[in-house]
Amino acid sequence: MKSFTLFLTLLLTSVLFTSCQKEELYDKEAEARNASVFIYDSYLIGNWEVNSMIVDRDVDLNGDAKFSDNLLLETSCFETMSFEFRGNKTFTMTTSALGLQVRDDKEVFSCMQEKVLQGNWSLKNDVLYLYVKINQRVHEQKIHLLLSEDSFAFEVNDAESKEYLKDQGGTSASGLVVVSLEYSRKIK
């Protein structure tokens, strides 16, 4: 009976010790994934142009029978999208939109007029804050940057996606959602 009690005690101790180790390991992994990356302001200063706009499924908007999840390979509507970050903490952003509609039983994908927005920016760790004044009101946009050498990317939420895709419904691309954008430093 003593040996059974000793065996049971050792078994429970090892299970508890293993559980604690796994929990501690999980906490360290989660902490590392959520850790912020520090980005110097000087890294962003300069001109950036869009190099990918990823959507949630493959589409063929240009009729070449090649499907892609990168809208830049399917339409020229977004080619002018860019950022210019200046050292005085001001920026200019050029953005575009794609219209999706059916006209006379045919799908029509059309480029909409680009918008040029100006404002101020700040950077805290890996979060970019953009402040734009529209109709006498300052709007803040918070963007978590994913950084690589000479490029940055960020995820796009559903509301922001609707700014890029003006969907009237009824097309093969209806319901399409932009999930991420990537910009690369423009080489002069």
Side-chain angles (χ1 to χ4, degrees):
M1 183 70 176
K2 280 185 178 182
S3 63
F4 178 73
T5 306
L6 179 62
F7 172 74
L8 189 57
T9 304
L10 287 173
L11 180 64
L12 286 174
T13 303
S14 68
V15 167
L16 285 173
F17 181 70
T18 304
S19 296
C20 290
Q21 279 185 325
K22 285 182 182 177
E23 194 172 296
E24 186 177 304
L25 181 62
Y26 173 77
D27 288 344
K28 286 181 181 177
E29 287 174 357
E31 191 176 300
R33 278 193 309 274
N34 294 327
S36 293
V37 174
F38 182 81
I39 303 171
Y40 288 100
D41 290 353
S42 59
Y43 176 81
L44 280 183
I45 295 172
N47 294 304
W48 300 83
E49 55 191 10
V50 69
N51 67 8
S52 82
M53 178 180 270
I54 304 301
V55 291
D56 62 344
R57 67 178 191 271
D58 290 348
V59 292
D60 178 19
L61 300 180
N62 58 11
D64 66 357
K66 295 178 185 174
F67 287 76
S68 177
D69 67 348
N70 184 351
L71 287 184
L72 295 183
L73 300 176
E74 295 298 323
T75 178
S76 61
C77 291
F78 303 105
E79 289 177 354
T80 60
M81 287 181 46
S82 63
F83 277 103
E84 180 186 357
F85 294 103
R86 293 178 284 281
N88 65 358
K89 296 294 189 137
T90 61
F91 76 92
T92 300
M93 174 176 70
T94 303
T95 186
S96 302
L98 174 67
L100 310 169
Q101 63 183 335
V102 175
R103 218 180 292 145
D104 299 325
D105 293 328
K106 291 189 180 191
E107 293 185 329
V108 178
F109 304 116
S110 56
C111 300
M112 312 215 36
Q113 186 172 353
E114 66 183 33
K115 292 181 189 174
V116 177
L117 300 171
Q118 296 185 338
N120 297 314
W121 65 277
S122 67
L123 191 59
K124 182 174 182 186
N125 296 328
D126 58 350
V127 179
L128 173 65
Y129 295 89
L130 302 177
Y131 306 96
V132 177
K133 193 173 190 177
I134 302 172
N135 298 329
Q136 304 303 315
R137 186 168 170 229
V138 175
H139 298 269
E140 175 187 278
Q141 184 176 6
K142 180 179 168 183
I143 302 171
H144 177 84
L145 298 179
L146 305 169
L147 193 63
S148 62
E149 190 175 328
D150 288 327
S151 70
F152 66 84
F154 54 90
E155 293 179 355
V156 175
N157 65 37
D158 288 342
E160 294 165 338
S161 177
K162 290 177 183 171
E163 292 297 316
Y164 299 115
L165 301 171
K166 305 297 185 183
D167 190 356
Q168 303 275 323
T171 70
S172 60
S174 287
L176 198 61
V177 176
V178 177
V179 294
S180 69
L181 286 167
E182 183 178 67
Y183 286 80
S184 59
R185 189 176 298 280
K186 188 175 180 179
I187 311 275
K188 295 178 181 182

